[in-house]
Amino acid sequence: MLGRLQPRLYSICSSPLTDAHQVSLTVSVVRYENLAGRPRQGVCSPFLADAEPGTPVPVRVQRAPHFRPPADPAAPAVMVGPGTGIAPFIGFLEERRARGHRAPNWLFFGEQHRATDFYYEQELAAFLAEGTLTRLDTAFSRDQRAEIYVQDRMREHGPLMWSWLRDGARFYVCGDASRMAEDVDQALRDIVTVHGGLTEAEAAASVKQLAADKRYVRDVY
């Protein structure tokens, strides 16, 4: 009577140009207590977390041809990936480094606590040091009294983001579809309105054109 269990989809966070024989994933393990105090957990993430090395896992690749780093080596990239949404952008940075693309790359990352939730902190520091990553802006929402999110950081740097967009930057968003993606979309529209000197209707049309031109793409879930 129950429907077949659906596959769990995770974004690949590595580039085959770095290692053609390994695929990396970023998985947040789901474990919690329900209202009755009973321990509950997700289906796939605890299995992956607890599996012994060498445990066989059936996998398949689902193509996302629209969501990939810029083919143009001179095209800047702005990437917004809070939480596990950072996953594909680690692969993007590896890919651009391997291809020798020298265009600027800007990453927005957010989570709850810097001390425990700063995924890929060392790798991002290395990308910054070598120049593959031009800017990194973080938003750790619970580290201060006022909650700060990636869309707040975007607005803080609105003039600079507008200049990147005018210079042909591609804008990528990955992560939660229920709130984050819509909040980021609104922040993008606000930046285009305020710093582009457009009306709300003109800004909405401009953002829609970015999407039509494949310069604004999302992988949200």
Side-chain angles (χ1 to χ4, degrees):
M1 294 176 65
L2 300 179
R4 184 179 179 86
L5 187 64
Q6 294 301 302
R8 267 46 182 171
L9 302 180
Y10 300 102
S11 297
I12 293 174
C13 61
S14 57
S15 168
L17 297 183
T18 299
D19 187 339
H21 303 287
Q22 177 172 300
V23 172
S24 298
L25 306 176
T26 305
V27 181
S28 180
V29 183
V30 178
R31 289 190 173 101
Y32 62 97
E33 288 187 356
N34 67 9
L35 296 177
R38 296 179 58 186
R40 306 292 292 174
Q41 63 181 27
V43 174
C44 188
S45 62
F47 165 72
L48 293 175
D50 298 337
E52 294 292 330
T55 300
V57 181
V59 299
R60 65 178 174 86
V61 176
Q62 179 166 299
R63 291 175 55 83
H66 70 287
F67 200 83
R68 55 185 57 198
D72 182 355
V78 178
M79 301 162 283
V80 182
T84 54
I86 193 177
F89 302 132
I90 298 297
F92 278 27
L93 293 169
E94 288 184 358
E95 183 93 0
R96 304 208 86 185
R97 176 178 62 191
R99 293 190 180 279
H101 292 185
R102 305 309 301 170
N105 300 296
W106 186 355
L107 174 65
F108 290 86
F109 171 72
E111 250 291 359
Q112 291 194 2
H113 302 286
R114 183 186 186 96
T116 55
D117 306 322
F118 197 167
Y119 312 149
Y120 298 101
E121 181 177 7
Q122 294 180 348
E123 291 85 348
L124 292 173
F127 282 131
L128 281 168
E130 70 191 23
T132 301
L133 185 58
T134 310
R135 285 187 61 96
L136 172 63
D137 284 282
T138 58
F140 295 101
S141 60
R142 304 301 194 273
D143 280 353
Q144 60 284 311
R145 185 181 298 274
E147 295 182 2
I148 299 174
Y149 298 99
V150 288
Q151 60 268 22
D152 300 315
R153 296 297 188 212
M154 287 172 55
R155 289 188 175 94
E156 286 178 12
H157 303 292
L160 183 59
M161 178 169 290
W162 172 244
S163 72
W164 279 52
L165 292 172
R166 285 188 307 172
D167 290 341
R170 277 53 168 173
F171 188 82
Y172 300 92
V173 182
C174 182
D176 172 56
S178 61
R179 291 189 58 183
M180 180 279 297
E182 295 309 310
D183 290 342
V184 166
D185 183 80
Q186 186 59 55
L188 178 62
R189 292 167 186 259
D190 292 344
I191 288 168
V192 173
T193 300
V194 173
H195 303 289
L198 305 179
T199 66
E200 289 187 6
E202 290 170 339
S206 177
V207 171
K208 185 176 181 180
Q209 188 61 49
L210 284 176
D213 294 339
K214 301 297 189 292
R215 287 182 53 202
Y216 173 24
V217 292
R218 309 196 304 178
D219 181 15
V220 297
Y221 39 84

